[in-house]
Amino acid sequence: MTASLTDGLVVKGLTKRFGTKVAVDDVSFDIAPGKILGLLGPNGAGKTTTISMITGLLNKTSGSVTLFGEPLTPTNTAIRRRFGVVPQDLALFDDLSAAENVRYFGGLYGLRGPALKNGVDRALAVVGLSEHQNQRPATFSGGMQRRLNIAMALVHQPELIFMDEPTVGIDPQSRNYILTAIEKMRSQGMTVVYTSHYMEEVERLADKIVIIDHGKVIVQGTEAELVNLVTTTKQVSITVAEPKLVNVAPLLAIAGVQQATVQGQELQLVTAVESNPLNQVLMTLIDQGVTVDQVDQPQIDLETVFLNLTGRNLRD
Amino acid sequence: MIGTIIKRVFVQDLRNRSNYVYFLILPVSLMVILGLVLQGTFATQLDSKVAPVHVQYVVDHSQQAQLFDKMVKHADIAHLDFKSQRDLARAKHVVRTQSNTAIVQFGTTATVQTSKGLNDYQTILLKSSLAAIFRQMGLVQTAIHYRGKLATVSTKKLVKVNHVQAHQSATSFQYYALAMMGMFMLYFSEVGLDMFGKARRQKTLARELLTPVTRGKLLNATVGGHLLFGMLVIGVLMGITTGLFKMPWSRALGFTLINFSGLMALFLIIGLLMDTINSRVGSGIVQIVIQLVAFLGGGYFPTSSTMMQFSPLGWIMGPMRSALWTTSSLDWSGAALNFGLAFGLLILVNWIIRRREVF
Ligand SMILES: Nc1ncnc2c1ncn2[C@@H]1O[C@H](COP(=O)(O)OP(=O)(O)OP(=O)(O)O)[C@@H](O)[C@H]1O
Ligand SMILES: [Mg+2]
């Protein structure tokens, strides 16, 4: 994996200070080509600032960034042709039509003639705006404007694309359209850096997840790695009708069950994450003549991971 | 890429409705209103009531006669319309049968014959114009005889005579058309103020900076697009004022276009500079500058030449008036000054922008 990293993105010790405020604090991560990196964090975590530094819009206070194995300098225009950015805020010319907006940015990336025309047509098709290409963005719904915002970053067919909360504030249909489009991009070999504070999106898309809060990387890895990192055990609570009939000893004998206690109407179990002893537990209880009313097995998701690591909810 | 940016800016300017108000509706209606209100201040009442006199002139082949022929052809005297006529009998017939006509027969001596019923003003105009032409011929001949330095000296005198006698003073409409066009060039500072302000609000500026285009290119190409639009505005206003007020732009088309463009460029960049330094304070300062420059430069009413020295508008108003209504040689100093300042300020803006973290 490290070998192919030279063609991806490597961020080391990235830091940004605004006066005394440290917006991004020693952030390091990397992503291999053709993968999707999810940058997850609450409002003000430093996601946008991180992307702005990587893409050269803001100066770094310290740290280093290599894109495709090279640092980005103000004069290195060749690298700029290879990546694209979908900004968090809509960035559209409201007095140009959708196609004109896309074409203009194609022109800025040096596309001309048929290459430009093809680029514009393809970008608009990817986001499903071909039929509306001659309309101005003002006549668009919020979701369509978001899609145009994405198309403008696709026109030059970048190898790496940064998407800063591309689905914020839109209807589920448009959102699904966008997520599907991103999956399609990956299947075509594009590398994607995706920021969000919707964990469902990141869970669905990301090959690798970086969680940041207060400018710091809290944890990074695949979804499974993150869940395992938070806990090696699972809590299961079983509500029973006759708690007095429950005999704990045989339950503890089942492989994977680490703890079993009765509290009021509930039997609390702690089990190992890898094993799934629940079926055997239920059968044992039935043998003991216990009626099982309800089984609660809280899902461990990124929200829980985040809550566990920061003591806060992802979305405030 | 530069072409792409220039085109985008130009198209946006064309689609921006407020530009039509600022640079078309407002100036043209002010020209009409102020011209009407102040009619008579700049032209004599008499002047406007005179019917033109059609002067036919008959010349022989002497050197002097050829000179007369040349001078008359180049003379542009209000209310006098000179036409060469070879057939004397035919010319006489015209004078007998048509009113407002005259014959000038020019050989070793000159004879003037007029149709009946020429009014006093027409007669004086014809006589004084002919006298001026004859006087100039004397001077020019001297110059021809001696050549060299004398030619220059006599040309200056000619201008004076011509200016007084030729009677080409501007009408009130024309005076205001020129002044208003100059004044509305000052409002290009508003375009300059919002040149990147809108792009910042719309976030498109950041987006453009992510592309391979450098800051300098983006800055200068954007300025270029607005300049192109400004020149279109000048051209359109020239067309409209020619139609409405018979503005004699054609007498110095290139000269006036360049003079207006210089003023437009300067104010576009003054606006840009103010926005670059501080957009909030900048727009206030720009308003004050516009009013001051317009007032000193004679935008509202004629001002003294001393006052005009302190206004970029004044720098070009004098030279443009001379170019349009006298025959004196073109004075490029105002245009040069405006363009020079504009260029200097543009370099300053480039320098500031390059040093900043955020455009
Ligand atoms: N130009 C700036 N000057 C001062 N502080 C800034 C500036 N830009 C961002 N910050 C601060 O840096 C922190 C990180 O901001 P950033 O926009 O990167 O967060 P984010 O993770 O993108 O948040 P969101 O989800 O709301 O977009 C915030 O506290 C913000 O107030
Ligand atoms: Mg953000």
Side-chain angles (χ1 to χ4, degrees), chain A residues 18 21-24 41-50 58 88 164-165 197 212:
Chain A
F18 293 110
K21 183 178 172 62
V22 186
V24 175
N43 286 120
K47 305 182 293 291
T48 301
T49 308
T50 301
L58 280 177
Q88 176 173 2
D164 198 353
E165 304 198 29
H197 46 202
I212 64 173

Side-chain angles (χ1 to χ4, degrees), chain B residues 340-356:
Chain B
L341 264 178
F343 188 67
L345 293 181
L346 183 60
I347 288 175
L348 179 63
V349 174
N350 268 281
W351 182 78
I352 295 172
I353 295 278
R354 214 172 304 136
R355 276 169 44 108
R356 286 208 302 224

Side-chain angles (χ1 to χ4, degrees), chain A residues 76-285:
Chain A
N76 196 341
T77 51
I79 285 192
R80 293 186 176 275
R81 278 177 220 275
R82 295 174 68 185
F83 70 83
V85 180
V86 179
Q88 176 173 2
D89 299 307
L90 288 173
L92 320 166
F93 289 105
D94 56 15
D95 32 21
L96 302 184
S97 72
E100 283 170 336
N101 266 291
V102 179
R103 194 176 304 125
Y104 174 62
F105 281 94
L108 292 190
Y109 279 104
L111 298 180
R112 295 281 177 275
L116 179 58
K117 198 193 170 306
N118 291 340
V120 172
D121 290 346
R122 202 184 307 111
L124 286 168
V126 167
V127 298
L129 283 180
S130 301
E131 280 171 23
H132 305 279
Q133 59 170 304
N134 293 322
Q135 283 167 246
R136 303 236 180 128
T139 66
F140 282 180
S141 69
M144 287 162 82
Q145 290 179 349
R146 281 274 152 207
R147 275 142 64 189
L148 177 58
N149 201 40
I150 293 170
M152 287 157 73
L154 294 176
V155 60
H156 62 296
Q157 287 197 289
E159 297 161 51
L160 165 63
I161 189 161
F162 296 89
M163 302 181 124
D164 198 353
E165 304 198 29
T167 58
V168 109
I170 58 169
D171 56 288
Q173 228 173 323
S174 276
R175 169 191 269 200
N176 199 42
Y177 204 110
I178 291 170
L179 296 184
T180 311
I182 294 171
E183 283 166 337
K184 214 181 284 172
M185 288 173 213
R186 170 175 51 190
S187 71
Q188 288 162 0
M190 209 188 270
T191 315
V192 182
V193 175
Y194 187 97
T195 85
S196 180
H197 46 202
Y198 297 113
M199 68 227 133
E200 318 88 76
E201 288 183 1
V202 174
E203 274 166 352
R204 169 173 163 183
L205 293 174
D207 299 303
K208 185 172 181 179
I209 298 164
V210 176
I211 296 184
I212 64 173
D213 188 27
H214 295 305
K216 285 195 174 80
V217 173
I218 294 171
V219 70
Q220 56 180 309
T222 62
E223 190 191 346
E225 281 168 0
L226 296 199
V227 169
N228 285 345
L229 213 137
V230 170
T231 174
T232 50
T233 57
K234 245 195 301 198
Q235 305 232 347
V236 182
S237 89
I238 300 168
T239 313
V240 293
E242 309 89 355
K244 281 185 185 143
L245 294 179
V246 175
N247 181 6
V248 179
L251 295 176
L252 284 170
I254 299 168
V257 177
Q258 295 175 355
Q259 280 180 41
T261 47
V262 179
Q263 289 171 359
Q265 295 285 107
E266 282 180 4
L267 167 65
Q268 302 282 4
L269 294 177
V270 175
T271 67
V273 171
E274 316 87 68
S275 57
N276 192 6
L278 199 57
N279 277 351
Q280 238 183 303
V281 169
L282 292 177
M283 283 196 293
T284 311
L285 287 176

